């Protein structure tokens, strides 16, 4: 086959240097003006190490599995944010139906990926089993959380034989210093038996940009059922998808125990105080509009956000706009999650919270 037949010149500028791919008797390529000495060996070794995502991948493995990381690291793959890994797993899954976790709203990237891959979409409350299940646990934005016995049972009861399960545990490490004990990453026996007995492949995805507050770096990981599953994903992953800055950041972040201890200590304290201040605003609204206007607050106490139903779509829009104008934007539940009366508020240091509370209290008093 000629290299000219590989290029669609209506879409791409023709570029030579491809003929060697189609030669059974290839010896040397004289069509490109590369250095005749070949690739510098030191640079080649460095590139191979970068492709293998080391030493950052091993460092993350130690963070996930402090005791037996060496036996687990072959199941771990890093990606350019969780979105890349979501796409890889969804594309590699057998075609068929897709169902989200049991929540009434869930991070939408999983549905988007299912849609673009032409899957049959089932509702979260559909009793039918699906061959691709995607669960965000803890659920963003609702704040729902299933502990291990519950989520394992839900997976078994909702997944077709031979299907694929993705559990997004991006927010799970906020649970406590013992978060690993309640993570599916600790359940290798369950994962292995699920595959051996039912041919169900269970993947656990993390977006690390939330925990370590580094969204611009694009950093995610997936724990695959087996090394073979991991290798299949590698074959369709773009090489060097994780940049060197992100790898260096990860390598350092996983060893910062003080940062994690402060996260577990302060997040629930700050969240409780923010909830108290938001409740005070709700109480003011109840005085004017009655008990039916009382806000509802959702989410477990360890999470880094609060999901709020303010019971009034117009007020929700005003609250979002007022927060933005005050320099403290919040997330509207309307455009992505189709929940026009909801807003999501992140947990933040309390001096910054004063600005948001002041802005919203002015809405109530006016």
């Amino acid at each position: 086959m000629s290299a000219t037949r590989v290029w669609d010149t209506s879409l791409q500028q023709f570029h030579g240097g491809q003929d060697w791919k189609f030669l059974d008797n290839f010896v040397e390529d004289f069509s490109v003006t590369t250095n005749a000495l070949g690739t510098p060996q030191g640079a080649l070794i460095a590139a191979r190490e970068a492709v293998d995502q080391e030493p950052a991948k091993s460092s993350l493995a130690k963070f996930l599995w402090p005791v037996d990381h060496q036996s687990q690291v072959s199941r771990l793959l890093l990606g350019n944010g969780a979105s890349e890994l979501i796409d890889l797993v969804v594309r590699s899954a057998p075609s068929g139906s897709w169902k989200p976790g049991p929540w009434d709203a869930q991070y939408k990237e999983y549905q988007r990926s299912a849609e673009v891959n032409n899957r049959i979409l089932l509702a979260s409350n559909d009793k039918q089993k699906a061959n691709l299940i995607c669960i965000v646990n803890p659920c963003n934005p609702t704040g729902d959380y299933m502990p291990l016995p519950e989520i394992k049972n839900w997976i078994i009861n909702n997944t077709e034989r031979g299907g694929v399960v993705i559990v997004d545990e991006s927010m799970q490490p906020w649970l406590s210093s013992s978060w690993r004990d309640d993570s599916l990453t600790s359940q290798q026996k369950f994962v292995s038996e699920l595959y051996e007995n039912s041919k169900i492949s269970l993947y656990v995805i993390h977006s690390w940009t939330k925990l370590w507050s580094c969204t611009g770096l694009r950093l995610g990981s997936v724990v695959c059922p087996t090394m073979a599953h991991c290798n299949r994903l590698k074959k369709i992953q773009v090489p060097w998808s994780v940049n060197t800055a992100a790898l260096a950041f990860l390598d350092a972040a996983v060893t910062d125990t003080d940062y994690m201890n402060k996260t577990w200590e302060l997040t629930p304290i700050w969240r409780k105080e923010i909830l108290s201040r938001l409740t005070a605003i709700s109480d003011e609204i109840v005085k004017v509009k009655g008990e039916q206007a009382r806000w509802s607050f959702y989410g477990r106490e360890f999470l880094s956000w609060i999901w709020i139903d303010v019971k009034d779509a117009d007020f929700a829009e005003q609250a979002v706009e007022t927060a933005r104008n005050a320099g403290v934007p919040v997330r509207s539940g309307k455009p992505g999650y189709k929940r026009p009366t909801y807003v999501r508020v992140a947990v933040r240091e309390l001096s910054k919270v004063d600005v948001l509370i002041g802005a919203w209290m002015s809405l109530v008093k006016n």
Side-chain angles (χ1 to χ4, degrees), residues 41-56:
Q41 288 304 299
L44 185 59
I45 291 171
R48 285 174 178 164
E49 289 177 349
V51 171
D52 291 336
Q53 306 173 334
E54 295 293 1

Side-chain angles (χ1 to χ4, degrees), residues 98-106 121-128 133-134 154 158 339:
W98 169 85
K99 184 162 69 171
W103 329 119
D104 71 333
Q106 181 177 279
L121 304 186
L122 303 179
S124 59
N125 59 357
D126 197 309
K127 300 301 182 183
Q128 180 181 341
I133 297 287
C134 297
W154 196 90
N158 285 274
R339 300 293 184 271

Side-chain angles (χ1 to χ4, degrees), residues 217-231:
L217 282 178
R218 307 297 305 151
L219 185 59
S221 67
V222 58
V223 179
C224 303
T226 67
M227 182 174 67
H229 285 79
C230 201
N231 288 337

Side-chain angles (χ1 to χ4, degrees), residues 110-288:
Y110 291 94
Q111 181 173 331
R112 183 208 65 78
S113 188
E115 288 175 340
V116 299
N117 283 279
N118 300 313
R119 306 193 73 90
I120 300 167
L121 304 186
L122 303 179
S124 59
N125 59 357
D126 197 309
K127 300 301 182 183
Q128 180 181 341
K129 291 186 175 183
N131 75 342
L132 176 60
I133 297 287
C134 297
I135 313 167
V136 180
N137 188 51
C139 182
N140 191 354
T142 69
D144 291 292
Y145 180 64
M146 285 191 284
L148 273 179
E150 187 177 344
I151 194 169
K152 287 160 75 171
N153 187 60
W154 196 90
I155 288 169
I156 292 169
N157 292 332
N158 285 274
T159 313
E160 291 180 357
R161 179 178 178 82
V164 170
V165 179
I166 304 174
V167 179
D168 187 325
E169 290 191 350
S170 296
M171 315 307 291
Q172 202 271 344
W174 260 280
L175 177 65
S176 70
S177 59
S178 59
W179 64 274
R180 298 173 184 86
D181 296 336
D182 205 43
S183 167
L184 281 165
T185 59
S186 71
Q187 300 297 300
Q188 180 55 22
K189 182 179 179 182
F190 170 74
V191 173
S192 297
E193 291 178 350
L194 196 64
Y195 185 65
E196 291 168 5
N197 299 332
S198 303
K199 298 303 176 187
I200 294 173
S201 301
L202 172 59
Y203 297 82
V204 181
I205 281 182
H206 290 91
S207 170
W208 296 110
T209 58
K210 301 298 189 298
L211 183 63
W212 289 311
S213 195
C214 59
T215 52
L217 282 178
R218 307 297 305 151
L219 185 59
S221 67
V222 58
V223 179
C224 303
T226 67
M227 182 174 67
H229 285 79
C230 201
N231 288 337
R232 283 198 289 271
L233 294 186
K234 284 183 181 179
K235 288 182 179 179
I236 59 175
Q237 184 181 34
V238 175
W240 301 288
S241 69
V242 186
N243 65 71
T244 53
L247 292 172
F249 179 95
L250 174 62
D251 199 34
V254 293
T255 62
D256 194 338
T257 54
D258 287 343
Y259 183 89
M260 291 303 303
N261 287 333
K262 287 180 181 178
T263 297
W264 295 319
E265 175 192 358
L266 294 175
T267 302
I269 294 174
W270 287 348
R271 189 182 190 281
K272 183 178 180 180
E273 179 60 29
I274 296 169
L275 186 58
S276 174
R277 298 186 191 186
L278 291 169
T279 301
I281 297 177
S282 174
D283 291 342
E284 290 297 317
I285 294 175
V286 168
K287 291 177 183 178
V288 178

